Amino acid sequence: TGETETYSELKQRLLGGIEQILTDCRPGRVAITMHGTAMMVLLKALSKETYYSAGIGNASISIVVLKQGAFYIKTIGAYTPHIR
């Protein structure tokens, strides 16, 4: 129906959001929320040498560090809440 994004469109939108955050926010810690699938796409785009085939749960915690212009993936999906 043409109502969904392609992988490439999603990746470009996510990277554009990261660029906007880097422009608008002071250096320091920033929290970003998104669905697990979007996080997998973003982590793949930020870290070219690693492919993330395992799912990343919604509301899990992934940590990305920006140091000297390069992104480093520190933690992927470290916490998944248990809902009763």
PDB file of all heavy atoms in Angstrom, residues 21-53:
ATOM      1  N   ILE A  21      19.742  15.338  17.313  1.00  0.00           N
ATOM      2  CA  ILE A  21      20.064  15.295  18.746  1.00  0.00           C
ATOM      3  C   ILE A  21      21.459  15.847  18.992  1.00  0.00           C
ATOM      4  O   ILE A  21      21.674  16.635  19.915  1.00  0.00           O
ATOM      5  CB  ILE A  21      19.937  13.850  19.281  1.00  0.00           C
ATOM      6  CG1 ILE A  21      18.460  13.449  19.330  1.00  0.00           C
ATOM      7  CG2 ILE A  21      20.582  13.706  20.664  1.00  0.00           C
ATOM      8  CD1 ILE A  21      18.226  11.973  19.526  1.00  0.00           C
ATOM      9  N   LEU A  22      22.420  15.464  18.164  1.00  0.00           N
ATOM     10  CA  LEU A  22      23.787  15.961  18.328  1.00  0.00           C
ATOM     11  C   LEU A  22      23.861  17.470  18.117  1.00  0.00           C
ATOM     12  O   LEU A  22      24.682  18.148  18.730  1.00  0.00           O
ATOM     13  CB  LEU A  22      24.733  15.245  17.361  1.00  0.00           C
ATOM     14  CG  LEU A  22      24.951  13.760  17.642  1.00  0.00           C
ATOM     15  CD1 LEU A  22      25.775  13.124  16.522  1.00  0.00           C
ATOM     16  CD2 LEU A  22      25.617  13.547  18.989  1.00  0.00           C
ATOM     17  N   THR A  23      23.009  17.993  17.262  1.00  0.00           N
ATOM     18  CA  THR A  23      22.967  19.432  17.007  1.00  0.00           C
ATOM     19  C   THR A  23      22.294  20.181  18.150  1.00  0.00           C
ATOM     20  O   THR A  23      22.764  21.238  18.580  1.00  0.00           O
ATOM     21  CB  THR A  23      22.213  19.719  15.693  1.00  0.00           C
ATOM     22  OG1 THR A  23      22.909  19.076  14.622  1.00  0.00           O
ATOM     23  CG2 THR A  23      22.108  21.206  15.420  1.00  0.00           C
ATOM     24  N   ASP A  24      21.196  19.636  18.664  1.00  0.00           N
ATOM     25  CA  ASP A  24      20.361  20.346  19.632  1.00  0.00           C
ATOM     26  C   ASP A  24      20.771  20.174  21.091  1.00  0.00           C
ATOM     27  O   ASP A  24      20.442  21.013  21.915  1.00  0.00           O
ATOM     28  CB  ASP A  24      18.901  19.899  19.501  1.00  0.00           C
ATOM     29  CG  ASP A  24      18.275  20.336  18.189  1.00  0.00           C
ATOM     30  OD1 ASP A  24      18.883  21.154  17.476  1.00  0.00           O
ATOM     31  OD2 ASP A  24      17.184  19.836  17.870  1.00  0.00           O
ATOM     32  N   CYS A  25      21.444  19.089  21.426  1.00  0.00           N
ATOM     33  CA  CYS A  25      21.740  18.787  22.834  1.00  0.00           C
ATOM     34  C   CYS A  25      23.171  19.128  23.196  1.00  0.00           C
ATOM     35  O   CYS A  25      24.075  19.026  22.370  1.00  0.00           O
ATOM     36  CB  CYS A  25      21.490  17.304  23.123  1.00  0.00           C
ATOM     37  SG  CYS A  25      19.770  16.836  22.943  1.00  0.00           S
ATOM     38  N   ARG A  26      23.347  19.517  24.441  1.00  0.00           N
ATOM     39  CA  ARG A  26      24.700  19.733  24.947  1.00  0.00           C
ATOM     40  C   ARG A  26      25.383  18.372  25.099  1.00  0.00           C
ATOM     41  O   ARG A  26      24.717  17.363  25.296  1.00  0.00           O
ATOM     42  CB  ARG A  26      24.659  20.415  26.313  1.00  0.00           C
ATOM     43  CG  ARG A  26      24.052  21.803  26.283  1.00  0.00           C
ATOM     44  CD  ARG A  26      24.035  22.400  27.637  1.00  0.00           C
ATOM     45  NE  ARG A  26      23.490  21.425  28.603  1.00  0.00           N
ATOM     46  CZ  ARG A  26      23.313  21.641  29.876  1.00  0.00           C
ATOM     47  NH1 ARG A  26      23.629  22.793  30.387  1.00  0.00           N
ATOM     48  NH2 ARG A  26      22.823  20.717  30.678  1.00  0.00           N
ATOM     49  N   PRO A  27      26.698  18.350  25.042  1.00  0.00           N
ATOM     50  CA  PRO A  27      27.412  17.092  25.280  1.00  0.00           C
ATOM     51  C   PRO A  27      27.061  16.512  26.649  1.00  0.00           C
ATOM     52  O   PRO A  27      26.882  17.250  27.611  1.00  0.00           O
ATOM     53  CB  PRO A  27      28.886  17.489  25.221  1.00  0.00           C
ATOM     54  CG  PRO A  27      28.898  18.731  24.388  1.00  0.00           C
ATOM     55  CD  PRO A  27      27.608  19.444  24.718  1.00  0.00           C
ATOM     56  N   GLY A  28      26.937  15.222  26.728  1.00  0.00           N
ATOM     57  CA  GLY A  28      26.584  14.546  27.977  1.00  0.00           C
ATOM     58  C   GLY A  28      25.740  13.327  27.675  1.00  0.00           C
ATOM     59  O   GLY A  28      25.762  12.789  26.586  1.00  0.00           O
ATOM     60  N   ARG A  29      24.968  12.933  28.633  1.00  0.00           N
ATOM     61  CA  ARG A  29      24.121  11.747  28.474  1.00  0.00           C
ATOM     62  C   ARG A  29      22.757  12.138  27.926  1.00  0.00           C
ATOM     63  O   ARG A  29      22.157  13.112  28.359  1.00  0.00           O
ATOM     64  CB  ARG A  29      23.945  11.051  29.809  1.00  0.00           C
ATOM     65  CG  ARG A  29      25.247  10.493  30.300  1.00  0.00           C
ATOM     66  CD  ARG A  29      25.092   9.812  31.609  1.00  0.00           C
ATOM     67  NE  ARG A  29      26.399   9.305  32.012  1.00  0.00           N
ATOM     68  CZ  ARG A  29      26.609   8.623  33.104  1.00  0.00           C
ATOM     69  NH1 ARG A  29      25.603   8.357  33.923  1.00  0.00           N
ATOM     70  NH2 ARG A  29      27.810   8.206  33.398  1.00  0.00           N
ATOM     71  N   VAL A  30      22.279  11.333  26.981  1.00  0.00           N
ATOM     72  CA  VAL A  30      20.985  11.567  26.351  1.00  0.00           C
ATOM     73  C   VAL A  30      20.249  10.240  26.321  1.00  0.00           C
ATOM     74  O   VAL A  30      20.823   9.213  25.961  1.00  0.00           O
ATOM     75  CB  VAL A  30      21.163  12.094  24.902  1.00  0.00           C
ATOM     76  CG1 VAL A  30      19.818  12.229  24.220  1.00  0.00           C
ATOM     77  CG2 VAL A  30      21.914  13.410  24.896  1.00  0.00           C
ATOM     78  N   ALA A  31      18.988  10.246  26.686  1.00  0.00           N
ATOM     79  CA  ALA A  31      18.161   9.040  26.607  1.00  0.00           C
ATOM     80  C   ALA A  31      17.267   9.141  25.375  1.00  0.00           C
ATOM     81  O   ALA A  31      16.649  10.172  25.126  1.00  0.00           O
ATOM     82  CB  ALA A  31      17.298   8.886  27.853  1.00  0.00           C
ATOM     83  N   ILE A  32      17.237   8.069  24.613  1.00  0.00           N
ATOM     84  CA  ILE A  32      16.409   7.998  23.412  1.00  0.00           C
ATOM     85  C   ILE A  32      15.545   6.754  23.539  1.00  0.00           C
ATOM     86  O   ILE A  32      16.047   5.687  23.889  1.00  0.00           O
ATOM     87  CB  ILE A  32      17.280   7.897  22.140  1.00  0.00           C
ATOM     88  CG1 ILE A  32      18.221   9.092  22.046  1.00  0.00           C
ATOM     89  CG2 ILE A  32      16.407   7.773  20.907  1.00  0.00           C
ATOM     90  CD1 ILE A  32      19.261   8.954  20.961  1.00  0.00           C
ATOM     91  N   THR A  33      14.279   6.866  23.236  1.00  0.00           N
ATOM     92  CA  THR A  33      13.401   5.697  23.290  1.00  0.00           C
ATOM     93  C   THR A  33      12.933   5.345  21.887  1.00  0.00           C
ATOM     94  O   THR A  33      12.692   6.232  21.066  1.00  0.00           O
ATOM     95  CB  THR A  33      12.177   5.945  24.194  1.00  0.00           C
ATOM     96  OG1 THR A  33      11.428   7.048  23.666  1.00  0.00           O
ATOM     97  CG2 THR A  33      12.603   6.274  25.614  1.00  0.00           C
ATOM     98  N   MET A  34      12.853   4.031  21.633  1.00  0.00           N
ATOM     99  CA  MET A  34      12.358   3.560  20.340  1.00  0.00           C
ATOM    100  C   MET A  34      12.028   2.080  20.451  1.00  0.00           C
ATOM    101  O   MET A  34      12.396   1.424  21.420  1.00  0.00           O
ATOM    102  CB  MET A  34      13.391   3.799  19.239  1.00  0.00           C
ATOM    103  CG  MET A  34      14.662   2.986  19.370  1.00  0.00           C
ATOM    104  SD  MET A  34      15.878   3.330  18.081  1.00  0.00           S
ATOM    105  CE  MET A  34      16.381   4.975  18.492  1.00  0.00           C
ATOM    106  N   HIS A  35      11.366   1.574  19.454  1.00  0.00           N
ATOM    107  CA  HIS A  35      11.053   0.147  19.396  1.00  0.00           C
ATOM    108  C   HIS A  35      12.330  -0.654  19.175  1.00  0.00           C
ATOM    109  O   HIS A  35      13.302  -0.159  18.606  1.00  0.00           O
ATOM    110  CB  HIS A  35      10.070  -0.145  18.265  1.00  0.00           C
ATOM    111  CG  HIS A  35       8.709   0.398  18.513  1.00  0.00           C
ATOM    112  ND1 HIS A  35       7.828  -0.199  19.381  1.00  0.00           N
ATOM    113  CD2 HIS A  35       8.087   1.484  18.021  1.00  0.00           C
ATOM    114  CE1 HIS A  35       6.706   0.503  19.409  1.00  0.00           C
ATOM    115  NE2 HIS A  35       6.841   1.532  18.586  1.00  0.00           N
ATOM    116  N   GLY A  36      12.320  -1.908  19.601  1.00  0.00           N
ATOM    117  CA  GLY A  36      13.481  -2.777  19.473  1.00  0.00           C
ATOM    118  C   GLY A  36      13.956  -2.953  18.047  1.00  0.00           C
ATOM    119  O   GLY A  36      15.157  -2.954  17.768  1.00  0.00           O
ATOM    120  N   THR A  37      13.041  -3.101  17.110  1.00  0.00           N
ATOM    121  CA  THR A  37      13.439  -3.269  15.712  1.00  0.00           C
ATOM    122  C   THR A  37      14.129  -2.018  15.186  1.00  0.00           C
ATOM    123  O   THR A  37      15.143  -2.112  14.490  1.00  0.00           O
ATOM    124  CB  THR A  37      12.219  -3.627  14.838  1.00  0.00           C
ATOM    125  OG1 THR A  37      11.660  -4.848  15.328  1.00  0.00           O
ATOM    126  CG2 THR A  37      12.608  -3.782  13.380  1.00  0.00           C
ATOM    127  N   ALA A  38      13.616  -0.853  15.524  1.00  0.00           N
ATOM    128  CA  ALA A  38      14.261   0.391  15.116  1.00  0.00           C
ATOM    129  C   ALA A  38      15.652   0.484  15.740  1.00  0.00           C
ATOM    130  O   ALA A  38      16.602   0.934  15.092  1.00  0.00           O
ATOM    131  CB  ALA A  38      13.405   1.591  15.518  1.00  0.00           C
ATOM    132  N   MET A  39      15.792   0.026  16.979  1.00  0.00           N
ATOM    133  CA  MET A  39      17.102   0.051  17.628  1.00  0.00           C
ATOM    134  C   MET A  39      18.090  -0.844  16.894  1.00  0.00           C
ATOM    135  O   MET A  39      19.249  -0.486  16.724  1.00  0.00           O
ATOM    136  CB  MET A  39      16.978  -0.374  19.092  1.00  0.00           C
ATOM    137  CG  MET A  39      18.308  -0.391  19.827  1.00  0.00           C
ATOM    138  SD  MET A  39      19.160   1.199  19.870  1.00  0.00           S
ATOM    139  CE  MET A  39      18.239   2.014  21.149  1.00  0.00           C
ATOM    140  N   MET A  40      17.641  -2.016  16.427  1.00  0.00           N
ATOM    141  CA  MET A  40      18.529  -2.904  15.665  1.00  0.00           C
ATOM    142  C   MET A  40      19.023  -2.207  14.395  1.00  0.00           C
ATOM    143  O   MET A  40      20.203  -2.278  14.060  1.00  0.00           O
ATOM    144  CB  MET A  40      17.811  -4.207  15.298  1.00  0.00           C
ATOM    145  CG  MET A  40      17.670  -5.140  16.458  1.00  0.00           C
ATOM    146  SD  MET A  40      16.808  -6.716  16.138  1.00  0.00           S
ATOM    147  CE  MET A  40      16.793  -6.920  14.411  1.00  0.00           C
ATOM    148  N   VAL A  41      18.142  -1.509  13.722  1.00  0.00           N
ATOM    149  CA  VAL A  41      18.511  -0.796  12.498  1.00  0.00           C
ATOM    150  C   VAL A  41      19.512   0.310  12.825  1.00  0.00           C
ATOM    151  O   VAL A  41      20.523   0.475  12.129  1.00  0.00           O
ATOM    152  CB  VAL A  41      17.262  -0.219  11.794  1.00  0.00           C
ATOM    153  CG1 VAL A  41      17.641   0.699  10.645  1.00  0.00           C
ATOM    154  CG2 VAL A  41      16.356  -1.341  11.315  1.00  0.00           C
ATOM    155  N   LEU A  42      19.257   1.057  13.892  1.00  0.00           N
ATOM    156  CA  LEU A  42      20.151   2.145  14.272  1.00  0.00           C
ATOM    157  C   LEU A  42      21.526   1.627  14.682  1.00  0.00           C
ATOM    158  O   LEU A  42      22.554   2.159  14.249  1.00  0.00           O
ATOM    159  CB  LEU A  42      19.543   2.976  15.409  1.00  0.00           C
ATOM    160  CG  LEU A  42      20.393   4.153  15.873  1.00  0.00           C
ATOM    161  CD1 LEU A  42      20.625   5.146  14.740  1.00  0.00           C
ATOM    162  CD2 LEU A  42      19.741   4.843  17.064  1.00  0.00           C
ATOM    163  N   LEU A  43      21.582   0.575  15.493  1.00  0.00           N
ATOM    164  CA  LEU A  43      22.877   0.031  15.915  1.00  0.00           C
ATOM    165  C   LEU A  43      23.674  -0.470  14.719  1.00  0.00           C
ATOM    166  O   LEU A  43      24.889  -0.282  14.647  1.00  0.00           O
ATOM    167  CB  LEU A  43      22.677  -1.089  16.937  1.00  0.00           C
ATOM    168  CG  LEU A  43      22.154  -0.658  18.303  1.00  0.00           C
ATOM    169  CD1 LEU A  43      21.936  -1.875  19.191  1.00  0.00           C
ATOM    170  CD2 LEU A  43      23.077   0.342  18.963  1.00  0.00           C
ATOM    171  N   LYS A  44      23.005  -1.108  13.767  1.00  0.00           N
ATOM    172  CA  LYS A  44      23.685  -1.570  12.560  1.00  0.00           C
ATOM    173  C   LYS A  44      24.240  -0.385  11.774  1.00  0.00           C
ATOM    174  O   LYS A  44      25.356  -0.434  11.268  1.00  0.00           O
ATOM    175  CB  LYS A  44      22.719  -2.397  11.704  1.00  0.00           C
ATOM    176  CG  LYS A  44      23.241  -2.782  10.348  1.00  0.00           C
ATOM    177  CD  LYS A  44      24.428  -3.708  10.438  1.00  0.00           C
ATOM    178  CE  LYS A  44      24.889  -4.107   9.035  1.00  0.00           C
ATOM    179  NZ  LYS A  44      26.274  -4.439   8.989  1.00  0.00           N
ATOM    180  N   ALA A  45      23.492   0.696  11.691  1.00  0.00           N
ATOM    181  CA  ALA A  45      23.939   1.875  10.948  1.00  0.00           C
ATOM    182  C   ALA A  45      25.119   2.565  11.640  1.00  0.00           C
ATOM    183  O   ALA A  45      26.006   3.096  10.971  1.00  0.00           O
ATOM    184  CB  ALA A  45      22.779   2.858  10.794  1.00  0.00           C
ATOM    185  N   LEU A  46      25.139   2.557  12.965  1.00  0.00           N
ATOM    186  CA  LEU A  46      26.208   3.232  13.710  1.00  0.00           C
ATOM    187  C   LEU A  46      27.478   2.395  13.791  1.00  0.00           C
ATOM    188  O   LEU A  46      28.571   2.940  13.941  1.00  0.00           O
ATOM    189  CB  LEU A  46      25.728   3.575  15.128  1.00  0.00           C
ATOM    190  CG  LEU A  46      24.585   4.569  15.228  1.00  0.00           C
ATOM    191  CD1 LEU A  46      24.197   4.776  16.680  1.00  0.00           C
ATOM    192  CD2 LEU A  46      24.950   5.901  14.579  1.00  0.00           C
ATOM    193  N   SER A  47      27.352   1.082  13.731  1.00  0.00           N
ATOM    194  CA  SER A  47      28.499   0.197  13.872  1.00  0.00           C
ATOM    195  C   SER A  47      28.580  -0.713  12.648  1.00  0.00           C
ATOM    196  O   SER A  47      27.996  -1.782  12.624  1.00  0.00           O
ATOM    197  CB  SER A  47      28.363  -0.642  15.153  1.00  0.00           C
ATOM    198  OG  SER A  47      29.439  -1.535  15.275  1.00  0.00           O
ATOM    199  N   LYS A  48      29.282  -0.289  11.652  1.00  0.00           N
ATOM    200  CA  LYS A  48      29.314  -0.967  10.363  1.00  0.00           C
ATOM    201  C   LYS A  48      29.860  -2.396  10.435  1.00  0.00           C
ATOM    202  O   LYS A  48      29.508  -3.243   9.642  1.00  0.00           O
ATOM    203  CB  LYS A  48      30.162  -0.170   9.380  1.00  0.00           C
ATOM    204  CG  LYS A  48      29.773   1.282   9.258  1.00  0.00           C
ATOM    205  CD  LYS A  48      28.565   1.473   8.409  1.00  0.00           C
ATOM    206  CE  LYS A  48      28.337   2.928   8.102  1.00  0.00           C
ATOM    207  NZ  LYS A  48      27.262   3.548   8.736  1.00  0.00           N
ATOM    208  N   GLU A  49      30.749  -2.686  11.388  1.00  0.00           N
ATOM    209  CA  GLU A  49      31.390  -3.991  11.417  1.00  0.00           C
ATOM    210  C   GLU A  49      30.586  -5.070  12.127  1.00  0.00           C
ATOM    211  O   GLU A  49      30.951  -6.227  12.109  1.00  0.00           O
ATOM    212  CB  GLU A  49      32.786  -3.913  12.053  1.00  0.00           C
ATOM    213  CG  GLU A  49      32.787  -3.696  13.561  1.00  0.00           C
ATOM    214  CD  GLU A  49      32.606  -2.246  13.986  1.00  0.00           C
ATOM    215  OE1 GLU A  49      32.596  -1.362  13.127  1.00  0.00           O
ATOM    216  OE2 GLU A  49      32.460  -2.020  15.189  1.00  0.00           O
ATOM    217  N   THR A  50      29.487  -4.738  12.746  1.00  0.00           N
ATOM    218  CA  THR A  50      28.728  -5.714  13.520  1.00  0.00           C
ATOM    219  C   THR A  50      27.308  -5.844  12.970  1.00  0.00           C
ATOM    220  O   THR A  50      26.658  -4.857  12.693  1.00  0.00           O
ATOM    221  CB  THR A  50      28.667  -5.294  15.002  1.00  0.00           C
ATOM    222  OG1 THR A  50      30.003  -5.098  15.478  1.00  0.00           O
ATOM    223  CG2 THR A  50      27.988  -6.344  15.842  1.00  0.00           C
ATOM    224  N   TYR A  51      26.843  -7.068  12.840  1.00  0.00           N
ATOM    225  CA  TYR A  51      25.473  -7.318  12.412  1.00  0.00           C
ATOM    226  C   TYR A  51      24.683  -7.853  13.598  1.00  0.00           C
ATOM    227  O   TYR A  51      25.102  -8.811  14.240  1.00  0.00           O
ATOM    228  CB  TYR A  51      25.437  -8.339  11.274  1.00  0.00           C
ATOM    229  CG  TYR A  51      24.031  -8.673  10.851  1.00  0.00           C
ATOM    230  CD1 TYR A  51      23.267  -7.740  10.173  1.00  0.00           C
ATOM    231  CD2 TYR A  51      23.465  -9.898  11.159  1.00  0.00           C
ATOM    232  CE1 TYR A  51      21.976  -8.028   9.785  1.00  0.00           C
ATOM    233  CE2 TYR A  51      22.169 -10.200  10.781  1.00  0.00           C
ATOM    234  CZ  TYR A  51      21.436  -9.255  10.094  1.00  0.00           C
ATOM    235  OH  TYR A  51      20.150  -9.541   9.734  1.00  0.00           O
ATOM    236  N   TYR A  52      23.560  -7.239  13.886  1.00  0.00           N
ATOM    237  CA  TYR A  52      22.734  -7.630  15.024  1.00  0.00           C
ATOM    238  C   TYR A  52      21.550  -8.433  14.520  1.00  0.00           C
ATOM    239  O   TYR A  52      20.584  -7.889  14.033  1.00  0.00           O
ATOM    240  CB  TYR A  52      22.269  -6.394  15.792  1.00  0.00           C
ATOM    241  CG  TYR A  52      23.438  -5.569  16.247  1.00  0.00           C
ATOM    242  CD1 TYR A  52      23.814  -4.425  15.574  1.00  0.00           C
ATOM    243  CD2 TYR A  52      24.203  -5.987  17.325  1.00  0.00           C
ATOM    244  CE1 TYR A  52      24.917  -3.699  15.974  1.00  0.00           C
ATOM    245  CE2 TYR A  52      25.315  -5.268  17.724  1.00  0.00           C
ATOM    246  CZ  TYR A  52      25.663  -4.124  17.040  1.00  0.00           C
ATOM    247  OH  TYR A  52      26.762  -3.429  17.436  1.00  0.00           O
ATOM    248  N   SER A  53      21.659  -9.748  14.602  1.00  0.00           N
ATOM    249  CA  SER A  53      20.591 -10.591  14.089  1.00  0.00           C
ATOM    250  C   SER A  53      19.581 -10.952  15.166  1.00  0.00           C
ATOM    251  O   SER A  53      18.455 -11.288  14.867  1.00  0.00           O
ATOM    252  CB  SER A  53      21.169 -11.863  13.472  1.00  0.00           C
ATOM    253  OG  SER A  53      21.889 -12.588  14.446  1.00  0.00           O
TER     254      SER A  53
END
